[in-house]
């Protein structure tokens, strides 16, 4: 980043189509395309902009397009769908039967797009990518997968959950080369962020060359905004190269997550069950969730964000914890002890209490139900 700063300066100087394009932007897009084994990639100022711009531009350009959106999709996808003006259907979260019922209402010739995520950030549930791709093929739909909360953290090279499904094949196939029949190959459009696991800022799409060129040519969210500063692009390239080669960070994060979930279960702290690295701790009340977050910071010097409506439904307010590769056993023990103290002080419901009430959002409910919802 320092070399890029000295070479190009701090800012991009304009939009990509005028003066804000550099060799570093092209290299970054090449790295992202290779990471996801797609023909091309396009970088945006954030993944919120990438989702909004891509969905609105693509679906408004397809006459009669119908969008099928998972109920728990991110606000950026919802906004892009609204801006497209296309007809939309919302299917119940991860409900393949409901999605197929909606898809079957339209002829195969009708342009369609299925929008969903790999890891849902507030629940930690994982999208049913292979099954949704199969339904999309059956009914002639484009697949749009948001991998924001998975890139860098899943798969042998950090390409996300879609890559993780074909771990061995992805591990032994040269970067950038298609793996026909793989889950990653079945997804038409992948979006991701440079601002979470990659530790920089920005968002992107990866898809076919023709689709990327169309978005580059027509999306206002790409055309009319200043491009990422070259030092940011350089930092992103370095981060992608490192995480593509290193397994250490992914191993440590998964290990710490598994250990933390086990420790919280032993302490009776109610964790919304899921298979991902996200640890949502159910509180069930907005005021109490805020109080718990404040108490963790004020008394224990631990920052954990409270999540309230409209991000989650009323009655499902929670604390969201995300273990990192840098956390250790001492930190984990401190966190569990602090949560136990806060739960006692505020009189918050523990897992057994939710079970007596019939359960909520997976806590104290049937395991198969909670995995889907």
């Amino acid at each position: 980043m320092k070399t890029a700063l000295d070479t190009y300066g701090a800012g991009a100087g304009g939009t990509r189509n005028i003066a804000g394009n550099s060799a570093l932007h092209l290299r970054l897009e090449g790295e992202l395309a290779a990471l996801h084994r797609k023909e091309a990639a396009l970088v945006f100022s954030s993944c919120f902009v990438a989702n909004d711009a891509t969905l609105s531009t693509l679906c408004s350009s397809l006459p009669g397009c119908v969008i099928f959106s998972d109920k728990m999709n991110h606000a950026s996808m919802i906004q892009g769908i609204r801006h497209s003006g296309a007809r939309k259907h919302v299917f119940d979260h991860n409900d393949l039967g409901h999605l197929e019922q909606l898809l079957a209402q339209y002829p195969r010739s009708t342009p369609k797009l299925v929008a969903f995520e790999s890891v849902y950030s507030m629940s930690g549930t994982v999208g049913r990518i292979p099954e949704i791709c199969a339904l999309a093929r059956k009914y002639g739909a484009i697949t749009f997968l948001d991998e924001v909360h998975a890139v860098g953290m899943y798969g042998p090279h950090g390409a996300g959950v879609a890559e993780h499904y074909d771990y061995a094949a992805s591990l032994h196939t040269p970067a950038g080369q298609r793996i026909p029949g793989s889950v990653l190959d079945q997804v038409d459009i992948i979006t991701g962020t440079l601002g979470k696991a990659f530790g920089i800022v920005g968002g992107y799409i990866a898809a076919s060359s023709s689709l990327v060129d169309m978005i580059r040519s027509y999306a206002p969210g790409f055309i009319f905004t200043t491009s990422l500063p070259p030092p940011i692009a350089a930092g992103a390239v370095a981060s992608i190269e490192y995480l593509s080669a290193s397994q250490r960070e992914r191993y440590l994060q998964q290990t710490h997550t598994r250990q933390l979930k086990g420790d919280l279960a032993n302490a009776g702290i109610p964790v919304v069950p899921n298979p991902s690295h996200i640890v949502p701790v159910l509180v069930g009340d907005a005021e109490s969730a805020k109080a718990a977050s404040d108490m963790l910071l004020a008394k224990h010097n631990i920052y954990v964000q409270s999540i309230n409506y409209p991000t989650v439904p009323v009655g499902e307010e929670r604390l969201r914890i995300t273990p990192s590769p840098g956390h250790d056993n001492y930190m984990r023990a401190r966190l569990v002890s602090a949560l136990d103290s806060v739960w006692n002080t505020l009189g918050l419901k523990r897992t057994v209490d939710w079970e007596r009430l019939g359960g909520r959002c997976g806590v104290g409910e049937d395991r198969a139900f909670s995995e889907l919802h």
Side-chain angles (χ1 to χ4, degrees), residues 24-84:
L24 285 171
H25 293 95
L26 300 178
R27 183 180 172 190
L28 172 57
E29 288 169 345
E31 290 285 345
L32 290 166
L35 177 67
H36 294 287
R37 303 182 186 275
K38 299 298 183 188
E39 293 177 349
L42 192 64
V43 172
F44 293 79
S45 56
S46 72
C47 197
F48 192 106
V49 175
N51 284 348
D52 182 13
T54 302
L55 286 167
S56 60
T57 302
L58 175 61
C59 296
S60 64
S61 302
L62 296 173
C65 181
V66 183
I67 303 173
F68 303 84
S69 176
D70 189 286
K71 184 179 181 179
M72 289 180 62
N73 275 344
H74 190 265
S76 59
M77 300 168 75
I78 295 170
Q79 179 160 302
I81 291 167
R82 286 175 179 162
H83 286 167
S84 75

Short mmCIF file of all heavy atoms in Angstrom, two decimals, residues 24-84:
data_model
loop_
_atom_site.label_atom_id
_atom_site.label_comp_id
_atom_site.label_asym_id
_atom_site.label_seq_id
_atom_site.Cartn_x
_atom_site.Cartn_y
_atom_site.Cartn_z
N LEU A 24 -3.61 -1.16 -11.06
CA LEU A 24 -3.95 -1.85 -9.81
C LEU A 24 -5.42 -2.26 -9.78
O LEU A 24 -5.76 -3.32 -9.25
CB LEU A 24 -3.62 -0.95 -8.62
CG LEU A 24 -2.14 -0.83 -8.27
CD1 LEU A 24 -1.92 0.25 -7.21
CD2 LEU A 24 -1.59 -2.17 -7.78
N HIS A 25 -6.31 -1.42 -10.31
CA HIS A 25 -7.72 -1.79 -10.36
C HIS A 25 -7.93 -3.02 -11.25
O HIS A 25 -8.68 -3.94 -10.91
CB HIS A 25 -8.56 -0.62 -10.88
CG HIS A 25 -8.60 0.56 -9.97
ND1 HIS A 25 -7.74 1.62 -10.10
CD2 HIS A 25 -9.37 0.84 -8.88
CE1 HIS A 25 -7.99 2.52 -9.16
NE2 HIS A 25 -8.98 2.06 -8.40
N LEU A 26 -7.24 -3.02 -12.38
CA LEU A 26 -7.36 -4.16 -13.29
C LEU A 26 -6.78 -5.42 -12.67
O LEU A 26 -7.32 -6.53 -12.83
CB LEU A 26 -6.66 -3.84 -14.61
CG LEU A 26 -7.21 -2.62 -15.37
CD1 LEU A 26 -6.41 -2.38 -16.64
CD2 LEU A 26 -8.69 -2.80 -15.70
N ARG A 27 -5.66 -5.27 -11.96
CA ARG A 27 -5.06 -6.43 -11.31
C ARG A 27 -5.98 -6.97 -10.22
O ARG A 27 -6.13 -8.19 -10.07
CB ARG A 27 -3.71 -6.05 -10.72
CG ARG A 27 -2.99 -7.23 -10.08
CD ARG A 27 -1.65 -6.83 -9.51
NE ARG A 27 -1.07 -7.93 -8.74
CZ ARG A 27 0.00 -7.79 -7.97
NH1 ARG A 27 0.61 -6.62 -7.86
NH2 ARG A 27 0.46 -8.83 -7.30
N LEU A 28 -6.60 -6.08 -9.45
CA LEU A 28 -7.52 -6.50 -8.40
C LEU A 28 -8.69 -7.27 -9.00
O LEU A 28 -9.08 -8.33 -8.48
CB LEU A 28 -8.03 -5.28 -7.63
CG LEU A 28 -9.14 -5.51 -6.60
CD1 LEU A 28 -8.73 -6.55 -5.57
CD2 LEU A 28 -9.52 -4.20 -5.92
N GLU A 29 -9.25 -6.77 -10.07
CA GLU A 29 -10.37 -7.48 -10.71
C GLU A 29 -9.93 -8.82 -11.28
O GLU A 29 -10.69 -9.80 -11.24
CB GLU A 29 -10.99 -6.59 -11.77
CG GLU A 29 -11.76 -5.42 -11.14
CD GLU A 29 -12.20 -4.36 -12.11
OE1 GLU A 29 -11.68 -4.33 -13.26
OE2 GLU A 29 -13.05 -3.52 -11.73
N GLY A 30 -8.70 -8.89 -11.77
CA GLY A 30 -8.18 -10.18 -12.23
C GLY A 30 -8.03 -11.17 -11.09
O GLY A 30 -8.34 -12.36 -11.24
N GLU A 31 -7.55 -10.70 -9.94
CA GLU A 31 -7.42 -11.57 -8.76
C GLU A 31 -8.79 -12.09 -8.31
O GLU A 31 -8.94 -13.27 -7.96
CB GLU A 31 -6.77 -10.80 -7.61
CG GLU A 31 -5.30 -10.49 -7.81
CD GLU A 31 -4.40 -11.69 -7.61
OE1 GLU A 31 -4.86 -12.70 -7.06
OE2 GLU A 31 -3.22 -11.61 -8.03
N LEU A 32 -9.79 -11.21 -8.32
CA LEU A 32 -11.13 -11.61 -7.87
C LEU A 32 -11.77 -12.59 -8.84
O LEU A 32 -12.43 -13.56 -8.42
CB LEU A 32 -12.01 -10.37 -7.71
CG LEU A 32 -11.63 -9.46 -6.54
CD1 LEU A 32 -12.32 -8.11 -6.66
CD2 LEU A 32 -11.97 -10.13 -5.20
N ALA A 33 -11.60 -12.36 -10.13
CA ALA A 33 -12.14 -13.29 -11.12
C ALA A 33 -11.50 -14.67 -10.96
O ALA A 33 -12.18 -15.70 -11.00
CB ALA A 33 -11.90 -12.75 -12.53
N ALA A 34 -10.18 -14.69 -10.77
CA ALA A 34 -9.48 -15.97 -10.58
C ALA A 34 -9.92 -16.66 -9.30
O ALA A 34 -10.10 -17.88 -9.26
CB ALA A 34 -7.97 -15.74 -10.57
N LEU A 35 -10.11 -15.88 -8.23
CA LEU A 35 -10.53 -16.44 -6.95
C LEU A 35 -11.84 -17.20 -7.09
O LEU A 35 -12.00 -18.31 -6.55
CB LEU A 35 -10.67 -15.33 -5.91
CG LEU A 35 -11.18 -15.73 -4.53
CD1 LEU A 35 -10.17 -16.61 -3.82
CD2 LEU A 35 -11.50 -14.49 -3.69
N HIS A 36 -12.79 -16.62 -7.81
CA HIS A 36 -14.11 -17.23 -7.96
C HIS A 36 -14.25 -18.06 -9.23
O HIS A 36 -15.34 -18.54 -9.54
CB HIS A 36 -15.19 -16.15 -7.92
CG HIS A 36 -15.29 -15.47 -6.58
ND1 HIS A 36 -15.85 -16.08 -5.48
CD2 HIS A 36 -14.91 -14.23 -6.17
CE1 HIS A 36 -15.81 -15.25 -4.45
NE2 HIS A 36 -15.24 -14.13 -4.84
N ARG A 37 -13.15 -18.21 -9.96
CA ARG A 37 -13.12 -19.01 -11.19
C ARG A 37 -14.19 -18.54 -12.19
O ARG A 37 -14.87 -19.34 -12.83
CB ARG A 37 -13.29 -20.50 -10.85
CG ARG A 37 -12.24 -21.03 -9.89
CD ARG A 37 -12.37 -22.51 -9.60
NE ARG A 37 -11.43 -22.92 -8.57
CZ ARG A 37 -10.16 -23.26 -8.78
NH1 ARG A 37 -9.68 -23.25 -10.01
NH2 ARG A 37 -9.38 -23.61 -7.77
N LYS A 38 -14.28 -17.23 -12.33
CA LYS A 38 -15.18 -16.60 -13.29
C LYS A 38 -14.36 -15.88 -14.36
O LYS A 38 -13.18 -15.61 -14.20
CB LYS A 38 -16.12 -15.62 -12.59
CG LYS A 38 -17.02 -16.25 -11.54
CD LYS A 38 -17.95 -17.29 -12.11
CE LYS A 38 -18.89 -17.86 -11.06
NZ LYS A 38 -19.68 -19.01 -11.57
N GLU A 39 -15.03 -15.51 -15.45
CA GLU A 39 -14.32 -14.85 -16.54
C GLU A 39 -13.87 -13.44 -16.20
O GLU A 39 -12.85 -12.96 -16.70
CB GLU A 39 -15.22 -14.81 -17.78
CG GLU A 39 -15.52 -16.17 -18.37
CD GLU A 39 -16.48 -16.09 -19.55
OE1 GLU A 39 -17.08 -15.02 -19.79
OE2 GLU A 39 -16.64 -17.13 -20.23
N ALA A 40 -14.66 -12.76 -15.36
CA ALA A 40 -14.36 -11.35 -15.09
C ALA A 40 -14.90 -10.95 -13.73
O ALA A 40 -15.71 -11.66 -13.12
CB ALA A 40 -14.97 -10.46 -16.18
N ALA A 41 -14.45 -9.79 -13.27
CA ALA A 41 -14.94 -9.21 -12.01
C ALA A 41 -14.98 -7.70 -12.17
O ALA A 41 -14.32 -7.13 -13.06
CB ALA A 41 -14.05 -9.61 -10.83
N LEU A 42 -15.74 -7.05 -11.32
CA LEU A 42 -15.88 -5.60 -11.35
C LEU A 42 -15.93 -5.09 -9.92
O LEU A 42 -16.71 -5.58 -9.10
CB LEU A 42 -17.16 -5.20 -12.09
CG LEU A 42 -17.32 -3.73 -12.48
CD1 LEU A 42 -16.26 -3.30 -13.48
CD2 LEU A 42 -18.72 -3.47 -13.05
N VAL A 43 -15.10 -4.09 -9.62
CA VAL A 43 -14.97 -3.57 -8.26
C VAL A 43 -15.84 -2.32 -8.09
O VAL A 43 -15.89 -1.45 -8.96
CB VAL A 43 -13.50 -3.25 -7.95
CG1 VAL A 43 -13.37 -2.53 -6.61
CG2 VAL A 43 -12.67 -4.53 -7.93
N PHE A 44 -16.50 -2.24 -6.93
CA PHE A 44 -17.34 -1.10 -6.56
C PHE A 44 -16.81 -0.49 -5.26
O PHE A 44 -15.94 -1.05 -4.60
CB PHE A 44 -18.79 -1.54 -6.36
CG PHE A 44 -19.48 -2.01 -7.61
CD1 PHE A 44 -19.26 -3.29 -8.11
CD2 PHE A 44 -20.37 -1.18 -8.28
CE1 PHE A 44 -19.91 -3.72 -9.27
CE2 PHE A 44 -21.01 -1.60 -9.42
CZ PHE A 44 -20.78 -2.88 -9.92
N SER A 45 -17.41 0.63 -4.87
CA SER A 45 -16.99 1.29 -3.63
C SER A 45 -17.38 0.50 -2.39
O SER A 45 -16.76 0.64 -1.34
CB SER A 45 -17.58 2.71 -3.56
OG SER A 45 -18.99 2.67 -3.68
N SER A 46 -18.42 -0.33 -2.48
CA SER A 46 -18.83 -1.22 -1.39
C SER A 46 -19.68 -2.32 -1.98
O SER A 46 -20.15 -2.21 -3.13
CB SER A 46 -19.64 -0.45 -0.32
OG SER A 46 -20.94 -0.14 -0.82
N CYS A 47 -19.92 -3.37 -1.21
CA CYS A 47 -20.79 -4.43 -1.72
C CYS A 47 -22.26 -4.01 -1.66
O CYS A 47 -23.08 -4.54 -2.40
CB CYS A 47 -20.57 -5.74 -0.99
SG CYS A 47 -21.25 -7.14 -1.93
N PHE A 48 -22.59 -3.06 -0.79
CA PHE A 48 -23.95 -2.52 -0.82
C PHE A 48 -24.21 -1.92 -2.21
O PHE A 48 -25.23 -2.20 -2.84
CB PHE A 48 -24.13 -1.45 0.26
CG PHE A 48 -25.56 -1.03 0.47
CD1 PHE A 48 -26.25 -1.44 1.60
CD2 PHE A 48 -26.23 -0.24 -0.45
CE1 PHE A 48 -27.58 -1.08 1.80
CE2 PHE A 48 -27.54 0.13 -0.28
CZ PHE A 48 -28.22 -0.29 0.86
N VAL A 49 -23.26 -1.15 -2.69
CA VAL A 49 -23.39 -0.53 -4.02
C VAL A 49 -23.36 -1.61 -5.10
O VAL A 49 -24.12 -1.55 -6.07
CB VAL A 49 -22.28 0.51 -4.24
CG1 VAL A 49 -22.35 1.07 -5.66
CG2 VAL A 49 -22.40 1.64 -3.23
N ALA A 50 -22.49 -2.60 -4.94
CA ALA A 50 -22.40 -3.68 -5.94
C ALA A 50 -23.74 -4.42 -6.07
O ALA A 50 -24.21 -4.68 -7.19
CB ALA A 50 -21.29 -4.66 -5.55
N ASN A 51 -24.35 -4.77 -4.94
CA ASN A 51 -25.62 -5.47 -4.98
C ASN A 51 -26.73 -4.62 -5.57
O ASN A 51 -27.50 -5.06 -6.42
CB ASN A 51 -26.01 -5.92 -3.56
CG ASN A 51 -25.22 -7.12 -3.10
OD1 ASN A 51 -24.55 -7.78 -3.88
ND2 ASN A 51 -25.30 -7.43 -1.81
N ASP A 52 -26.82 -3.38 -5.08
CA ASP A 52 -27.86 -2.47 -5.55
C ASP A 52 -27.70 -2.21 -7.05
O ASP A 52 -28.66 -2.35 -7.83
CB ASP A 52 -27.76 -1.16 -4.76
CG ASP A 52 -28.82 -0.14 -5.15
OD1 ASP A 52 -29.79 -0.50 -5.85
OD2 ASP A 52 -28.67 1.04 -4.76
N ALA A 53 -26.50 -1.86 -7.48
CA ALA A 53 -26.26 -1.51 -8.87
C ALA A 53 -26.48 -2.70 -9.81
O ALA A 53 -27.09 -2.56 -10.88
CB ALA A 53 -24.84 -0.97 -9.03
N THR A 54 -25.99 -3.88 -9.42
CA THR A 54 -26.10 -5.05 -10.29
C THR A 54 -27.54 -5.53 -10.43
O THR A 54 -28.03 -5.77 -11.54
CB THR A 54 -25.20 -6.18 -9.78
OG1 THR A 54 -23.85 -5.71 -9.70
CG2 THR A 54 -25.26 -7.39 -10.69
N LEU A 55 -28.22 -5.67 -9.32
CA LEU A 55 -29.61 -6.14 -9.38
C LEU A 55 -30.51 -5.15 -10.10
O LEU A 55 -31.35 -5.54 -10.93
CB LEU A 55 -30.13 -6.41 -7.96
CG LEU A 55 -29.59 -7.68 -7.29
CD1 LEU A 55 -29.91 -7.69 -5.81
CD2 LEU A 55 -30.15 -8.93 -7.96
N SER A 56 -30.36 -3.88 -9.79
CA SER A 56 -31.24 -2.88 -10.41
C SER A 56 -30.97 -2.76 -11.91
O SER A 56 -31.90 -2.70 -12.71
CB SER A 56 -31.08 -1.52 -9.73
OG SER A 56 -29.76 -1.05 -9.83
N THR A 57 -29.70 -2.76 -12.29
CA THR A 57 -29.35 -2.60 -13.70
C THR A 57 -29.71 -3.83 -14.52
O THR A 57 -30.32 -3.73 -15.59
CB THR A 57 -27.84 -2.31 -13.84
OG1 THR A 57 -27.52 -1.13 -13.10
CG2 THR A 57 -27.46 -2.11 -15.30
N LEU A 58 -29.33 -5.00 -14.02
CA LEU A 58 -29.58 -6.24 -14.77
C LEU A 58 -31.07 -6.51 -14.92
O LEU A 58 -31.57 -6.74 -16.03
CB LEU A 58 -28.90 -7.41 -14.07
CG LEU A 58 -29.16 -8.80 -14.67
CD1 LEU A 58 -28.65 -8.88 -16.10
CD2 LEU A 58 -28.50 -9.88 -13.80
N CYS A 59 -31.80 -6.46 -13.81
CA CYS A 59 -33.21 -6.88 -13.86
C CYS A 59 -34.10 -5.86 -14.54
O CYS A 59 -35.15 -6.21 -15.07
CB CYS A 59 -33.70 -7.19 -12.44
SG CYS A 59 -32.83 -8.60 -11.71
N SER A 60 -33.71 -4.58 -14.54
CA SER A 60 -34.49 -3.58 -15.28
C SER A 60 -34.23 -3.69 -16.77
O SER A 60 -35.01 -3.17 -17.58
CB SER A 60 -34.15 -2.18 -14.79
OG SER A 60 -32.79 -1.86 -15.07
N SER A 61 -33.14 -4.38 -17.16
CA SER A 61 -32.79 -4.52 -18.58
C SER A 61 -33.37 -5.78 -19.20
O SER A 61 -33.30 -5.94 -20.43
CB SER A 61 -31.27 -4.53 -18.73
OG SER A 61 -30.69 -3.34 -18.22
N LEU A 62 -33.91 -6.67 -18.38
CA LEU A 62 -34.50 -7.92 -18.89
C LEU A 62 -36.02 -7.75 -18.92
O LEU A 62 -36.66 -7.71 -17.88
CB LEU A 62 -34.12 -9.09 -17.98
CG LEU A 62 -32.63 -9.45 -17.92
CD1 LEU A 62 -32.39 -10.51 -16.85
CD2 LEU A 62 -32.15 -9.95 -19.27
N PRO A 63 -36.61 -7.64 -20.09
CA PRO A 63 -38.07 -7.42 -20.19
C PRO A 63 -38.87 -8.50 -19.47
O PRO A 63 -38.67 -9.69 -19.71
CB PRO A 63 -38.33 -7.44 -21.69
CG PRO A 63 -37.02 -7.12 -22.32
CD PRO A 63 -35.99 -7.73 -21.42
N GLY A 64 -39.73 -8.07 -18.55
CA GLY A 64 -40.59 -9.02 -17.85
C GLY A 64 -39.87 -9.85 -16.80
O GLY A 64 -40.40 -10.88 -16.35
N CYS A 65 -38.69 -9.41 -16.38
CA CYS A 65 -37.91 -10.19 -15.41
C CYS A 65 -38.66 -10.34 -14.09
O CYS A 65 -39.30 -9.39 -13.61
CB CYS A 65 -36.57 -9.52 -15.16
SG CYS A 65 -35.50 -10.40 -13.99
N VAL A 66 -38.58 -11.51 -13.49
CA VAL A 66 -39.17 -11.79 -12.19
C VAL A 66 -38.04 -12.21 -11.24
O VAL A 66 -37.22 -13.06 -11.58
CB VAL A 66 -40.22 -12.91 -12.26
CG1 VAL A 66 -40.87 -13.13 -10.89
CG2 VAL A 66 -41.29 -12.59 -13.29
N ILE A 67 -38.02 -11.59 -10.06
CA ILE A 67 -36.97 -11.86 -9.07
C ILE A 67 -37.53 -12.68 -7.92
O ILE A 67 -38.63 -12.38 -7.42
CB ILE A 67 -36.36 -10.55 -8.53
CG1 ILE A 67 -35.81 -9.71 -9.68
CG2 ILE A 67 -35.27 -10.84 -7.51
CD1 ILE A 67 -35.36 -8.32 -9.25
N PHE A 68 -36.78 -13.68 -7.48
CA PHE A 68 -37.16 -14.52 -6.34
C PHE A 68 -36.09 -14.29 -5.27
O PHE A 68 -34.92 -14.61 -5.47
CB PHE A 68 -37.24 -15.98 -6.76
CG PHE A 68 -38.20 -16.21 -7.89
CD1 PHE A 68 -37.81 -16.01 -9.21
CD2 PHE A 68 -39.52 -16.57 -7.64
CE1 PHE A 68 -38.70 -16.19 -10.27
CE2 PHE A 68 -40.42 -16.76 -8.68
CZ PHE A 68 -40.00 -16.56 -10.00
N SER A 69 -36.51 -13.73 -4.14
CA SER A 69 -35.57 -13.26 -3.11
C SER A 69 -35.81 -13.98 -1.79
O SER A 69 -36.95 -14.07 -1.32
CB SER A 69 -35.74 -11.75 -2.93
OG SER A 69 -34.93 -11.26 -1.89
N ASP A 70 -34.73 -14.48 -1.18
CA ASP A 70 -34.84 -15.11 0.14
C ASP A 70 -35.32 -14.08 1.16
O ASP A 70 -34.92 -12.92 1.14
CB ASP A 70 -33.49 -15.67 0.57
CG ASP A 70 -33.57 -16.53 1.83
OD1 ASP A 70 -33.73 -15.94 2.92
OD2 ASP A 70 -33.47 -17.75 1.72
N LYS A 71 -36.19 -14.53 2.05
CA LYS A 71 -36.80 -13.65 3.05
C LYS A 71 -35.77 -12.93 3.92
O LYS A 71 -36.02 -11.83 4.42
CB LYS A 71 -37.74 -14.48 3.93
CG LYS A 71 -38.53 -13.69 4.95
CD LYS A 71 -39.46 -14.61 5.74
CE LYS A 71 -40.27 -13.83 6.77
NZ LYS A 71 -41.20 -14.74 7.51
N MET A 72 -34.60 -13.53 4.11
CA MET A 72 -33.60 -12.96 5.00
C MET A 72 -32.47 -12.24 4.27
O MET A 72 -31.42 -11.95 4.84
CB MET A 72 -33.02 -14.06 5.92
CG MET A 72 -34.01 -14.54 6.95
SD MET A 72 -33.38 -15.84 8.05
CE MET A 72 -32.01 -14.98 8.85
N ASN A 73 -32.69 -11.91 3.00
CA ASN A 73 -31.65 -11.23 2.23
C ASN A 73 -31.29 -9.86 2.82
O ASN A 73 -32.12 -9.19 3.43
CB ASN A 73 -32.08 -11.05 0.78
CG ASN A 73 -31.78 -12.27 -0.07
OD1 ASN A 73 -31.00 -13.14 0.31
ND2 ASN A 73 -32.41 -12.36 -1.23
N HIS A 74 -30.07 -9.45 2.56
CA HIS A 74 -29.54 -8.18 3.07
C HIS A 74 -30.27 -6.99 2.46
O HIS A 74 -30.78 -7.06 1.34
CB HIS A 74 -28.05 -8.10 2.77
CG HIS A 74 -27.36 -6.96 3.44
ND1 HIS A 74 -27.14 -5.75 2.81
CD2 HIS A 74 -26.83 -6.85 4.68
CE1 HIS A 74 -26.50 -4.94 3.62
NE2 HIS A 74 -26.30 -5.58 4.78
N ALA A 75 -30.26 -5.87 3.18
CA ALA A 75 -30.93 -4.65 2.74
C ALA A 75 -30.42 -4.17 1.38
O ALA A 75 -31.19 -3.59 0.60
CB ALA A 75 -30.75 -3.55 3.79
N SER A 76 -29.15 -4.38 1.07
CA SER A 76 -28.61 -3.95 -0.21
C SER A 76 -29.26 -4.68 -1.37
O SER A 76 -29.51 -4.10 -2.44
CB SER A 76 -27.09 -4.16 -0.24
OG SER A 76 -26.77 -5.53 -0.05
N MET A 77 -29.54 -5.97 -1.18
CA MET A 77 -30.20 -6.74 -2.22
C MET A 77 -31.67 -6.31 -2.35
O MET A 77 -32.19 -6.17 -3.46
CB MET A 77 -30.08 -8.24 -1.90
CG MET A 77 -28.65 -8.71 -1.81
SD MET A 77 -28.48 -10.35 -1.10
CE MET A 77 -29.04 -11.36 -2.45
N ILE A 78 -32.30 -6.09 -1.22
CA ILE A 78 -33.70 -5.64 -1.24
C ILE A 78 -33.81 -4.31 -1.97
O ILE A 78 -34.71 -4.10 -2.79
CB ILE A 78 -34.24 -5.54 0.19
CG1 ILE A 78 -34.29 -6.93 0.83
CG2 ILE A 78 -35.61 -4.89 0.21
CD1 ILE A 78 -34.58 -6.92 2.32
N GLN A 79 -32.86 -3.41 -1.71
CA GLN A 79 -32.89 -2.10 -2.37
C GLN A 79 -32.66 -2.23 -3.87
O GLN A 79 -33.33 -1.57 -4.67
CB GLN A 79 -31.84 -1.17 -1.77
CG GLN A 79 -31.80 0.21 -2.42
CD GLN A 79 -31.14 1.25 -1.55
OE1 GLN A 79 -31.58 1.50 -0.43
NE2 GLN A 79 -30.08 1.86 -2.05
N GLY A 80 -31.73 -3.08 -4.27
CA GLY A 80 -31.48 -3.29 -5.69
C GLY A 80 -32.68 -3.86 -6.40
O GLY A 80 -32.99 -3.48 -7.54
N ILE A 81 -33.39 -4.77 -5.73
CA ILE A 81 -34.59 -5.37 -6.31
C ILE A 81 -35.66 -4.30 -6.48
O ILE A 81 -36.33 -4.21 -7.53
CB ILE A 81 -35.08 -6.53 -5.43
CG1 ILE A 81 -34.09 -7.69 -5.50
CG2 ILE A 81 -36.47 -6.99 -5.84
CD1 ILE A 81 -34.28 -8.75 -4.44
N ARG A 82 -35.84 -3.46 -5.47
CA ARG A 82 -36.82 -2.38 -5.57
C ARG A 82 -36.48 -1.42 -6.69
O ARG A 82 -37.33 -1.01 -7.48
CB ARG A 82 -36.89 -1.63 -4.24
CG ARG A 82 -37.62 -2.39 -3.14
CD ARG A 82 -37.54 -1.63 -1.83
NE ARG A 82 -38.26 -2.32 -0.76
CZ ARG A 82 -38.07 -2.08 0.53
NH1 ARG A 82 -37.19 -1.15 0.92
NH2 ARG A 82 -38.77 -2.74 1.44
N HIS A 83 -35.22 -1.05 -6.78
CA HIS A 83 -34.79 -0.10 -7.81
C HIS A 83 -34.92 -0.66 -9.22
O HIS A 83 -35.00 0.10 -10.19
CB HIS A 83 -33.35 0.33 -7.56
CG HIS A 83 -33.20 1.26 -6.40
ND1 HIS A 83 -31.97 1.57 -5.83
CD2 HIS A 83 -34.11 1.98 -5.69
CE1 HIS A 83 -32.14 2.41 -4.83
NE2 HIS A 83 -33.43 2.67 -4.73
N SER A 84 -34.93 -1.98 -9.35
CA SER A 84 -35.05 -2.58 -10.68
C SER A 84 -36.44 -2.40 -11.27
O SER A 84 -36.62 -2.38 -12.49
CB SER A 84 -34.73 -4.09 -10.62
OG SER A 84 -35.81 -4.81 -10.02
#
